[in-house]
Amino acid sequence: MPAPLLHIESSADLPGEADAVVIGGGVVGVFTAYYLSRRGVRVALLEKGRVAAEQSSRNWGWCRQQNRDARELPMATKSLQLWENVAKETGEDTGFRRCGLLYLSDDESQLAGWAKWRDFARTAGVTTHMLSAQEASERGKATGRKWKGGVFSPTDGTADPSRAVPVAARGIMAAGGTVHQFCAARGIELSAGRVSGVVTEKGTIKTRTVVMAGGAWASSFCHQLGIRFPQASVRSSILAVAPGLSAMPPALAAPDVAITRRGNGGYTLAISGRARVDPTPQQFRFGREFLPMFARRWRSLSPGGLEGWRQGHETLKKWSLDDITPMEQNRILDPGPDMAQIRLTYERACELIPEIRNLSITDSWAGYIDSTPDGIPVIGEVESIPGFILAAGFSGHGFAIGPGAGHLIADIITGKAPIVDPAQFRPERLKTAAWGKVAEF
C-alpha cells in the first residue's frame, strides 16, 4: 500500500469468548476497543487486514471543530481532548498537535459563511477567529499573495495518520484486550434473536455484544443479517511531497487546495470534497436515498469507473459462514488513485506555493470514504438484533471524531453516562428522508 503506515504485531491467540467483539480495525473500531479494554472489559478487535490500513491512514490527519455540523460538533470537541490524552495514557506519540487550522479565501460569501459559523460556535464554547485581509495575508505569507480574509481555529489540530491508530491499538493490548489482524469476521451467530457469537475465519468467539465498525464494508456485512443500512462510498485521491517548505503553516486550506504537514516533515496535498463516484451494486441499491447528498455535492463529484465494482466492498452477494468471504479476498481496500485529480492537485498546490515545484512527489494514493445519506455517522444498537451495535458512515470525519465515537460506544456498552448525546446518531433515523438534513461540511 502506498500510504505510510506503522505496522504492529497481533495478539497470539484468538479467545474462545469475550465480553465484546469489535469488527474493524480502523479509527472507530480501535478506539471502541481501546476504551472498553481500559474499563476492564474483555474485548477482542478483529481486522481482516492490517490495523488502519484503509481510510484511517489515507486521510489528511485533520482533527477539527471548525465548520462542523451542529450534530457532530460536541463529539469533535470531546475528541480533541481525547486525542491529547492518548499520548499520556499509552506513552507513545500519535502525532497529535493543537497547531491550529488556517483557512484563506477571497470569496465574500464564503467569508460570510465562516463568520456565521463563528457566531454559532461561540454558543458551543468553541473559539475561532475571523481574520482581516491584513491578518489573513500575514498568516498566509507562504503563498506570497494578499487575501481578503480567512479564519483560524487555534484549538484544532492534526494527528499523524500513519501511526495514530496503530498506537491506540497497541494500547488495547497493553490494557488487556486482544487485537487480531488478518482475521476476517464472516458473520454473527444468534440465540433467541440476539447476538451470541462472531464467526471468524480462524474460529468462533462467543459473545453477547458485537460492534460493526467496518467502514466502507459495513453495509455489505449488515446485508448478511437482513439489516438495510444505506451507505455509499466515493474514491478520494491525494498525494504527498518531500520535506523542504519554508514558512508553511502546519495545516492550510485555500479555495483550490489544502496542504498539511505530515509526521515525517513532508506535506499532503488534497482538494477538499473532490472525489470519484465508482458505480457498485450498493450505489444502485441506495441511489434514491443519496439524491439529497449528490444534489448538494455535485460540483465536487465526478463519475468513476469499475474500480469500486472490482474491490467488492459494496457487493449485494450473500455468503455462507464456512466459505471465503469478499473481506478475505480483498484484505485491504487499495484502489488506484485518480491520476487526473493527482495532477490537478499538484498544479493547484504549485500555483499556491511555487516552492512546491522544488520538492519530489513521494507518494500518491486513494481511499474509499463511506457516507450516510445525511453525512452524519450511525452509532447505536440495531433494534432488530439486540447486542449488535453499528458504528459506520463517518462521511470523511472518522479520523477526527474517532476517539469520541469509540468512547460513546464504550459508554453505551458499559452503561455509563454518554460522553455526548447519542440521539442524533441512532440508526433508525435513516428510515426517514434526508432532504434538507444533509450535513454542511
Side-chain angles (χ1 to χ4, degrees):
M1 54 177 289
L5 178 64
L6 171 67
H7 291 174
I8 64 170
E9 296 298 319
S10 297
S11 301
D13 300 311
L14 191 74
E17 60 179 312
D19 297 327
V21 175
V22 180
I23 301 172
V27 62
V28 176
V30 165
F31 273 104
T32 297
Y34 177 81
Y35 289 114
L36 285 172
S37 64
R38 289 180 59 82
R39 297 180 190 188
V41 176
R42 295 179 304 160
V43 61
L45 176 74
L46 306 177
E47 166 52 46
K48 62 182 174 54
R50 288 195 177 276
V51 163
E54 295 187 347
Q55 195 56 26
S56 292
S57 61
R58 297 164 186 253
N59 58 82
W60 301 8
W62 283 34
C63 303
R64 66 176 172 88
Q65 302 164 100
Q66 179 67 37
N67 297 332
R68 281 276 183 228
D69 186 273
R71 291 165 287 184
E72 279 189 358
L73 183 58
M75 184 176 287
T77 300
K78 295 288 187 181
S79 292
L80 286 167
Q81 183 59 56
L82 295 174
W83 271 118
E84 285 184 324
N85 293 345
V86 172
K88 301 172 188 175
E89 293 163 355
T90 64
E92 294 194 70
D93 185 12
T94 63
F96 177 74
R97 304 287 186 274
R98 287 193 190 248
C99 57
L101 307 180
L102 174 63
Y103 299 74
L104 301 173
S105 182
D106 288 326
D107 186 326
E108 295 287 359
S109 62
Q110 187 172 49
L111 293 171
W114 290 343
K116 182 178 179 181
W117 191 90
R118 183 267 321 270
D119 295 340
F120 153 71
R122 285 174 175 167
T123 68
V126 176
T127 300
T128 185
H129 301 304
M130 291 300 300
L131 304 177
S132 65
Q134 181 178 349
E135 292 169 332
S137 300
E138 175 60 27
R139 284 190 177 272
K141 60 185 177 183
T143 66
R145 52 170 286 190
K146 302 294 185 182
W147 294 91
K148 286 187 177 181
V151 64
F152 182 67
S153 51
T155 58
D156 289 348
T158 62
D160 185 350
S162 71
R163 63 178 290 110
V165 177
V167 163
R170 285 204 287 231
I172 297 168
M173 293 181 280
T178 59
V179 175
H180 308 277
Q181 298 176 108
F182 297 97
C183 182
R186 291 179 169 177
I188 306 298
E189 287 186 339
L190 304 177
S191 296
R194 71 159 293 127
V195 168
S196 61
V198 178
V199 179
T200 83
E201 63 181 292
K202 297 180 179 179
T204 299
I205 306 174
K206 296 298 182 183
T207 186
R208 290 176 60 81
T209 302
V210 172
V211 179
M212 164 41 60
W217 297 85
S219 184
S220 62
F221 190 94
C222 287
H223 183 57
Q224 310 307 305
L225 305 174
I227 299 169
R228 190 180 192 278
F229 173 38
Q231 180 187 40
S233 299
V234 296
R235 176 166 47 102
S236 178
S237 302
I238 62 179
L239 69 150
V241 296
L245 296 181
S246 59
M248 266 296 297
L252 167 65
D256 293 332
V257 69
I259 304 175
T260 311
R261 185 188 302 151
R262 296 185 68 84
N264 65 359
Y267 287 83
T268 293
L269 315 179
I271 300 175
S272 180
R274 181 66 67 94
R276 292 280 182 181
V277 181
D278 294 331
T280 67
Q282 199 166 287
Q283 290 272 10
F284 292 119
R285 182 189 187 199
F286 299 128
R288 184 175 181 276
E289 280 94 330
F290 280 88
L291 285 176
M293 174 72 75
F294 290 143
R296 181 162 291 185
R297 314 272 184 244
W298 67 270
R299 290 182 179 86
S300 299
L301 301 176
S302 301
L306 296 177
E307 187 74 18
W309 207 290
R310 287 193 293 265
Q311 295 289 331
H313 62 296
E314 293 190 349
T315 181
L316 296 180
K317 293 180 180 178
K318 297 257 186 158
W319 57 78
S320 63
L321 301 185
D322 57 357
D323 284 342
I324 294 175
T325 66
M327 293 86 72
E328 294 156 75
Q329 294 171 337
N330 188 2
R331 296 286 180 179
I332 296 172
L333 273 180
D334 188 21
D338 176 0
M339 296 312 298
Q341 182 176 334
I342 294 296
R343 290 190 291 271
L344 177 62
T345 303
Y346 181 71
E347 288 303 316
R348 286 186 178 185
C350 290
E351 184 176 343
L352 183 69
I353 311 286
E355 190 179 3
I356 288 177
R357 294 194 184 277
N358 301 326
L359 306 179
S360 61
I361 296 176
T362 58
D363 300 289
S364 63
W365 61 84
Y368 279 108
I369 299 173
D370 65 298
S371 177
T372 60
D374 60 8
I376 301 296
V378 164
I379 303 172
E381 187 176 47
V382 175
E383 290 180 343
S384 60
I385 304 180
F388 185 78
I389 296 172
L390 181 57
F394 279 75
S395 308
H397 308 161
F399 187 77
I401 66 174
H407 198 294
L408 174 61
I409 299 163
D411 295 338
I412 293 170
I413 291 172
T414 59
K416 302 290 186 182
I419 190 171
V420 297
D421 183 0
Q424 60 266 31
F425 305 119
R426 60 190 181 86
E428 291 72 33
R429 78 176 193 278
L430 296 182
K431 295 178 181 178
T432 59
W435 288 103
K437 301 176 184 177
V438 177
E440 295 283 357
F441 56 88

